[in-house]
Amino acid sequence: MAIQTIGVIGAGQMGNGIAHVLALAEYNVLLTDISQEALDSALEIIRNNMERQVSRDKISQADMDAGLNRITSTLTLTDLGKTDLVIEAATERETVKQAIFDELLPHLQPHTILTSNTSSISITRLASRTDRPEKFMGFHFMNPVPVMQLVELIRGIATDTETFDACMEVVEKIKKTSATAEDFPGFIVNRILMPMINEAVYTLYEGVGNVKSIDQSMRLGANHPMGPLELADFIGLDTCLAIMNVLHEGLADTKYRPCPLLTKYVEAGWLGRKTGRGFYDYRGETPVPTR
């Protein structure tokens, strides 16, 4: 089946990035969110990011104009029923994702493939609650989507080969590289990355080092492009905590226990860059460590 029209659920950081790369790859994209403000903001971000690509000669002005023309938006979730592929990129809460699928399912075409951009939730469990577990899989983009080259493809226990091949073809068309992951908590990237971030928070919590020394040590001592606490702020501390909880509950191993300090920051609403404060305070001209 040739995929031509793709629906993207969620116009946040991940959703607008996914819409961006799909449109440049000549897919018609229908983007939805519960807020017109979120949709307007997403389209503005996509335009700004494409303008940056034009200024750096990554794409042409014609590519940008054509890409923007391929993106339409709607506040009505069920409008996505007419698409060939749906990529859900809503918040990382299973109850929210399930409610979205429940509303959308009766309106889907028989051939429509349903996917989730979840970074850690069981694909098999999400698929089992739909009418098409064989046409359901994980389609996990990395953040920021226009820059990062990897996409994790995760098959549920019932995902058929035709569905997997169709999603692989999309990854190839958007000129990214796919990694096939088995359906275990966290998949590959977050199974490795999140415990490292959580351990960095424990290192801060136990007073082994402060924010600056921890991030500096990993940037200069391990050649990481960003320190783990800086990266956590970029991802969102609420997202990091949610993934650690999935790992802890799904694998029942104490090594995945979220650091109490991470929980405290989330409870305070200090979620990182998106709220202006996390392990760094972003409200001034330059980020300042909060510990």
Side-chain angles (χ1 to χ4, degrees):
M1 184 195 72
I3 292 171
Q4 295 179 318
T5 306
I6 300 177
V8 178
I9 302 171
Q13 195 172 34
M14 296 303 295
N16 71 60
I18 293 167
H20 174 145
V21 298
L22 292 173
L24 287 180
E26 301 185 2
Y27 289 107
N28 294 315
V29 179
L30 184 54
L31 180 65
T32 188
D33 203 287
I34 58 174
S35 151
Q36 185 62 50
E37 184 182 0
L39 290 172
D40 293 343
S41 174
L43 293 171
E44 184 65 22
I45 289 168
I46 292 168
R47 177 180 294 278
N48 291 340
N49 287 341
M50 285 190 183
E51 285 175 347
R52 192 175 298 116
Q53 287 179 303
V54 171
S55 70
R56 296 174 180 173
D57 294 324
K58 301 286 187 182
I59 62 173
S60 68
Q61 184 64 49
D63 291 334
M64 172 179 162
D65 294 340
L68 290 173
N69 285 334
R70 293 189 193 100
I71 303 172
T72 53
S73 64
T74 179
L75 289 170
T76 307
L77 176 64
T78 54
D79 287 349
L80 273 62
K82 62 190 177 187
T83 62
D84 302 314
L85 167 67
V86 173
I87 302 174
E88 171 275 314
T91 188
E92 190 67 357
R93 297 214 313 268
E94 189 166 350
T95 53
V96 173
K97 295 180 186 296
Q98 193 55 58
I100 288 169
F101 295 141
D102 288 346
E103 183 179 348
L104 183 60
L105 283 169
H107 303 273
L108 293 177
Q109 300 179 89
H111 72 268
T112 301
I113 293 172
L114 199 53
T115 70
S116 176
N117 182 57
T118 178
S119 50
S120 59
I121 297 169
S122 168
I123 298 303
T124 297
R125 189 167 63 243
L126 289 173
S128 71
R129 296 167 183 164
T130 73
D131 63 353
R132 60 195 67 214
E134 71 287 347
K135 291 189 178 297
F136 192 107
M137 65 180 293
F139 208 137
H140 182 213
F141 288 82
M142 305 295 128
N143 185 33
V145 179
V147 175
M148 301 296 279
Q149 291 301 303
L150 186 75
V151 177
E152 283 184 315
L153 293 179
I154 306 102
R155 299 173 78 147
I157 196 169
T159 307
D160 64 25
T161 301
E162 183 183 19
T163 297
F164 179 83
D165 290 346
C167 290
M168 177 77 82
E169 189 175 314
V170 172
V171 175
E172 291 170 356
K173 193 169 176 182
I174 62 176
K175 297 179 180 176
K176 294 194 184 292
T177 300
S178 63
T180 305
E182 293 299 317
D183 185 23
F184 288 97
F187 316 131
I188 295 172
V189 173
N190 283 317
R191 174 75 175 264
I192 298 168
L193 176 63
M194 286 301 157
M196 184 199 75
I197 287 175
N198 194 51
E199 194 62 30
V201 183
Y202 267 115
T203 305
L204 178 64
Y205 177 60
E206 294 169 3
V208 180
N210 59 27
V211 169
K212 181 180 177 181
S213 63
I214 292 167
D215 278 351
Q216 190 175 59
S217 294
M218 294 308 290
R219 282 199 307 270
L220 303 181
N223 206 27
H224 290 191
M226 294 173 74
L229 302 175
E230 182 186 8
L231 179 56
D233 275 358
F234 180 76
I235 294 167
L237 303 193
D238 52 339
T239 300
C240 294
L241 179 59
I243 296 170
M244 285 309 302
N245 281 327
V246 168
L247 289 170
H248 191 219
E249 292 162 13
L251 298 169
D253 191 322
T254 55
K255 73 180 179 180
Y256 299 113
R257 182 172 69 96
C259 179
L261 184 60
L262 177 60
T263 302
K264 182 179 289 187
Y265 268 70
V266 172
E267 289 174 345
W270 292 20
L271 307 182
R273 286 180 178 267
K274 61 187 175 185
T275 58
R277 275 190 293 187
F279 293 113
Y280 293 84
D281 188 328
Y282 299 93
R283 294 174 298 173
E285 288 187 15
T286 56
V288 178
T290 53
R291 281 183 176 249

